[in-house]
Amino acid sequence: MSTRPWRRACSTPAASAFRSSRQPCENTVSPSANSTDPAVATAIPASASLTPQQIDALDWDKQDGLIPAVVQDAASLRVLMLGYMDRAALRATLDSGHVTFYSRSKQRLWTKGETSGNFLDLVSIETDCDRDTLLVSAQPHGPTCHLGRDSCFPNAPDVSDASAVAGVSGVSGVPGASDDALAFLGELDALIATRERERPQGSYTTALFDKGLRSIAQKVGEEGVETALAAVAQDDAALCGEAADLLFHLQVLLRARGLSLGDAVAVLRERHGKPHRGSQPAG
């Protein structure tokens, strides 16, 4: 199957790509779902769901009931903005899936995108070792900054600025040949999400969604077989073409199940460097 020229989405990378591993603080302990002891609940794992006990374990008293929340693009890892959450804002974020803050100027809850439509879809949320700052991984729908920029920090780096992340150093190891490859996967995932939501007429992606989950799953199977055959019987260009088709249809399949590329990458990130019985760790 020949490659298809997938149209780029808006310039905002918007799904989940690979994330560099990092060492947690030495005193970080993953909390038990039933633990009410703040000494035990010293950190929140990367997750889009928190228990009441984990929320209570946060250091709400340090800044008069507010906790700073750093929002990071789940695809590019670029820092998008800084906001503040109180308990109600955190609960609204978890319940709605849209990142919500407490606006100190408006003195009320404020969901990013409530006016512009540029929502931040929650992917995961975790805290630092002191339990007084949140790191929110999100999928942005459009520019985050009110000035129309992708980030409120215009010079904030992303994975395309660090080709070593996830071993990406351009095509065939040539730096600069395709440094934005991972960020583009995020843009493509955002475009697929838009197609699934809006279903524009004449779109190939719309046609896939209209045929339903079983048809999409069958298509992924076909692309997987064609990719394997290209690997053993065709040249590099053919293999890359089939691999591109497989990646695209796999993203469509995930979206048809209400998931995103970020959900699959989250599993890879969790496995990274850890031995797994019956499976291979990523990396």
Side-chain angles (χ1 to χ4, degrees):
M1 182 178 293
S2 62
T3 58
R4 302 180 180 87
W6 312 119
R7 184 173 69 82
R8 290 179 71 93
C10 66
S11 61
T12 306
S16 285
F18 296 95
R19 182 177 182 179
S20 58
S21 61
R22 63 185 186 279
Q23 289 297 112
C25 297
E26 291 182 0
N27 64 344
T28 297
V29 179
S30 296
S32 166
N34 298 319
S35 174
T36 58
D37 183 0
V40 175
T42 54
I44 296 173
S47 171
S49 178
L50 303 177
T51 66
Q53 291 84 1
Q54 291 169 341
I55 294 174
D56 287 341
L58 295 173
D59 192 351
W60 296 104
D61 296 331
K62 194 167 188 176
Q63 297 192 50
D64 297 324
L66 297 177
I67 286 185
V70 179
V71 182
Q72 183 182 42
D73 188 313
S76 68
L77 306 186
R78 173 179 291 163
V79 173
L80 299 178
M81 65 173 293
L82 170 67
Y84 288 84
M85 292 185 181
D86 61 4
R87 288 175 179 267
L90 178 55
R91 177 47 57 194
T93 297
L94 296 171
D95 290 344
S96 69
H98 293 314
V99 179
T100 300
F101 304 98
Y102 178 79
S103 172
R104 293 173 295 173
S105 59
K106 300 175 182 177
Q107 294 289 297
R108 65 172 178 83
L109 296 188
W110 167 67
T111 298
K112 178 68 182 74
E114 64 183 24
T115 301
S116 66
N118 298 330
F119 292 100
L120 293 169
D121 288 350
L122 179 65
V123 174
S124 67
I125 187 166
E126 57 185 303
T127 186
D128 68 342
C129 51
D130 291 327
R131 297 176 289 113
D132 60 4
T133 304
L134 294 171
L135 176 62
V136 179
S137 179
Q139 175 181 329
H141 292 278
T144 298
C145 180
H146 73 286
L147 297 178
R149 299 185 303 217
D150 293 347
S151 170
C152 295
F153 304 92
N155 297 319
D158 59 31
V159 291
S160 66
D161 300 321
S163 61
V165 175
V168 175
S169 58
V171 176
S172 301
V174 180
S178 184
D179 282 344
D180 66 343
L182 293 180
F184 176 69
L185 278 178
E187 295 180 22
L188 179 59
D189 202 35
L191 175 61
I192 291 170
T194 300
R195 291 288 189 266
E196 195 277 335
R197 183 172 59 253
E198 298 178 355
R199 304 292 178 99
Q201 294 295 320
S203 165
Y204 173 73
T205 311
T206 296
L208 287 173
F209 283 122
D210 287 345
K211 290 179 181 178
L213 181 64
R214 288 183 179 275
S215 178
I216 299 171
Q218 181 179 356
K219 189 67 175 175
V220 171
E222 293 172 357
E223 298 296 351
V225 171
E226 292 177 4
T227 300
L229 291 175
V232 297
Q234 299 183 50
D235 60 17
D236 289 350
L239 174 58
C240 288
E242 297 299 347
D245 288 337
L246 177 59
L247 283 171
F248 170 77
H249 288 92
L250 179 58
Q251 287 180 270
V252 173
L253 180 63
L254 287 167
R255 186 62 60 180
R257 284 288 302 268
L259 302 169
S260 71
L261 185 62
D263 294 297
V265 172
V267 176
L268 286 174
R269 186 167 63 220
E270 182 180 358
R271 291 177 179 175
H272 180 68
K274 296 180 181 180
H276 283 257
R277 182 178 301 175
S279 63
Q280 295 295 324

